[in-house]
Amino acid sequence: MTSSTTPARPAAGPAARHRRLPIGALRLPGPGRTLSVRWDPRATAVGALLALAAAAVGVWTLTTGDFHVPVSDVLKVLAGEHVPGADYIVGELRLPRLLTALLVGAALGLSGALFQTIARNPLGSPDVIGFTVGSATGALVTILVLGAGAASVAVGSVIGCAVTSAAVWLLAWRGGAVGYRLILVGIGVSSLLTAANSYLIARASFNDAQSAQVWLTGSLNGRGWEHVWTMVATLAVLGPAAVLLGRPLRMLEMGEDTAAALGVPVRRVTSGALAVGVGLTALSTAVAGPVPFVALVAPQVVRRLTRATGPNLLASTVMGALLLSLSDIAAQRMLAPTQLPVGVLTGVVGGCYLVWVLARQWRSGQG
């Protein structure tokens, strides 16, 4: 009589248990075909809660204001029913502005997650390293110098952001454009472009300079359905591309050498993430102006909420939408009937957050 025993598998240590994510299996057509997806329950829960919070802010935005609209009437308008008075207030004034805020915030949150992952630094945000200012410079040249129409602003914004990102990347490159070298070069380029923007406004006519200055602050006033469809097309094209880059970007956090050893095409992934981030930043700036600090704050808040490694692209996207929509309604209601540009509010909140990040990094460096 023989007996065989299977040696027991050693229990995984605490670190291994922390890294292992639950696996969900999806059976595909055909024998033996399954698709396994790793997911983090905490990150999923955080993303769902952020989405619910954004929806609640959206309902609040559509119902409140100088003319109160009941939730039932808002739902009827959204369902396509005719409600006298509410059709225009909700469908033509409040809803396009809300959707623009959500979509621009989502694009900024996603671009911030991409840039911070590439730079491997929490300050690697497009508004800190000059990409947003470069996008604004391209748009101002299009408006004030070339005298082009609104349709050309997006083109000028994309060109300005692309040229600025290329300049910052080349100036910071020394075997890799990462760390504080990229941040410092970006801050310097941002200062130069800010001076150029001030010069362009100073030489413009009074009316053009006044409208450009309001736009430079970052504003959602007067945004209509044309801006909504611009951002829908932007996220429809660049969003899936960013999602496809999520896994290799997660591996890049282990270091370029380790990622390359695991088969990640480092240069291709970095260039792709840079191109997607530039497109998101440029078109967001073309629609709403250079709204500051949303791209900086959203990924960092998400990282602290989810406690998950990697770029956290989807959660950062939802957080950006929530932050900008909440900031916009606060800018509308805080000093009512006077409405502040949303960039003023995000600048104050983001500036305080930036000081906190710098102080924390300085203390950790000293320690």
Side-chain angles (χ1 to χ4, degrees), residues 281-305:
T281 302
L283 290 168
S284 299
T285 304
V287 168
V291 179
F293 291 116
V294 173
L296 171 70
V297 175
Q300 292 303 309
V301 174
V302 163
R303 184 178 289 268
R304 285 168 173 78
L305 291 176

Side-chain angles (χ1 to χ4, degrees), residues 265-288:
V266 175
R267 295 284 180 87
R268 194 187 312 164
V269 170
T270 303
S271 301
L274 179 64
V276 172
V278 165
L280 291 168
T281 302
L283 290 168
S284 299
T285 304
V287 168

Side-chain angles (χ1 to χ4, degrees), residues 320-336:
L322 173 61
L323 285 178
L324 190 55
S325 59
L326 188 60
S327 298
D328 185 45
I329 191 173
Q332 294 180 60
R333 308 287 185 259
M334 186 178 295
L335 299 178

Side-chain angles (χ1 to χ4, degrees), residues 155-243:
V155 177
S157 181
V158 171
I159 294 175
C161 190
V163 171
T164 303
S165 62
V168 171
W169 203 260
L170 291 174
L171 290 172
W173 187 268
R174 190 181 300 169
V178 295
Y180 278 103
R181 187 167 63 251
L182 178 66
I183 306 301
L184 293 175
V185 170
I187 291 174
V189 171
S190 178
S191 299
L192 292 174
L193 291 175
T194 300
N197 292 346
S198 299
Y199 171 75
L200 289 173
I201 292 177
R203 68 183 297 273
S205 65
F206 177 78
N207 291 332
D208 290 343
Q210 188 177 31
S211 60
Q213 187 59 52
V214 172
W215 181 82
L216 277 177
T217 308
S219 176
L220 293 169
N221 293 336
R223 297 306 183 265
W225 286 105
E226 65 275 14
H227 302 99
V228 174
W229 294 122
T230 298
M231 292 309 304
V232 167
T234 299
L235 288 171
V237 173
L238 298 179
V243 172

Side-chain angles (χ1 to χ4, degrees), residues 45-294:
V46 167
L49 290 176
L50 291 176
L52 290 175
V57 171
V59 172
W60 182 25
T61 301
L62 294 177
T63 56
T64 59
D66 295 335
F67 184 84
H68 175 72
V69 179
V71 177
S72 58
D73 289 348
V74 169
L75 295 177
K76 290 178 182 178
V77 172
L78 295 179
E81 297 184 24
H82 174 66
V83 180
D87 285 346
Y88 177 74
I89 293 174
V90 174
E92 298 299 327
L93 296 180
R94 295 179 184 173
L95 184 58
R97 177 168 181 161
L98 169 64
L99 292 177
T100 302
L102 290 171
L103 294 170
V104 169
L108 291 175
L110 181 56
S111 67
L114 290 171
F115 284 127
Q116 289 178 23
T117 303
I118 295 173
R120 280 176 276 171
N121 192 298
L123 297 179
S125 171
D127 42 12
V128 174
I129 58 180
F131 294 179
T132 301
V133 181
S135 180
T137 303
L140 285 179
V141 169
T142 304
I143 298 171
L144 300 179
V145 178
L146 302 179
S152 302
V153 173
V155 177
S157 181
V158 171
I159 294 175
C161 190
V163 171
T164 303
S165 62
V168 171
W169 203 260
L170 291 174
L171 290 172
W173 187 268
R174 190 181 300 169
V178 295
Y180 278 103
R181 187 167 63 251
L182 178 66
I183 306 301
L184 293 175
V185 170
I187 291 174
V189 171
S190 178
S191 299
L192 292 174
L193 291 175
T194 300
N197 292 346
S198 299
Y199 171 75
L200 289 173
I201 292 177
R203 68 183 297 273
S205 65
F206 177 78
N207 291 332
D208 290 343
Q210 188 177 31
S211 60
Q213 187 59 52
V214 172
W215 181 82
L216 277 177
T217 308
S219 176
L220 293 169
N221 293 336
R223 297 306 183 265
W225 286 105
E226 65 275 14
H227 302 99
V228 174
W229 294 122
T230 298
M231 292 309 304
V232 167
T234 299
L235 288 171
V237 173
L238 298 179
V243 172
L244 292 176
L245 291 168
R247 186 172 182 274
L249 285 175
R250 181 188 297 272
M251 299 177 71
L252 274 179
E253 290 194 341
M254 298 184 293
E256 292 185 359
D257 294 337
T258 303
L262 294 174
V264 176
V266 175
R267 295 284 180 87
R268 194 187 312 164
V269 170
T270 303
S271 301
L274 179 64
V276 172
V278 165
L280 291 168
T281 302
L283 290 168
S284 299
T285 304
V287 168
V291 179
F293 291 116
V294 173

Side-chain angles (χ1 to χ4, degrees), residues 27 33 51 86 151 281 286 318 323 363:
R27 187 168 297 279
R33 295 184 180 180
T281 302
V318 181
L323 285 178
R363 291 194 190 98

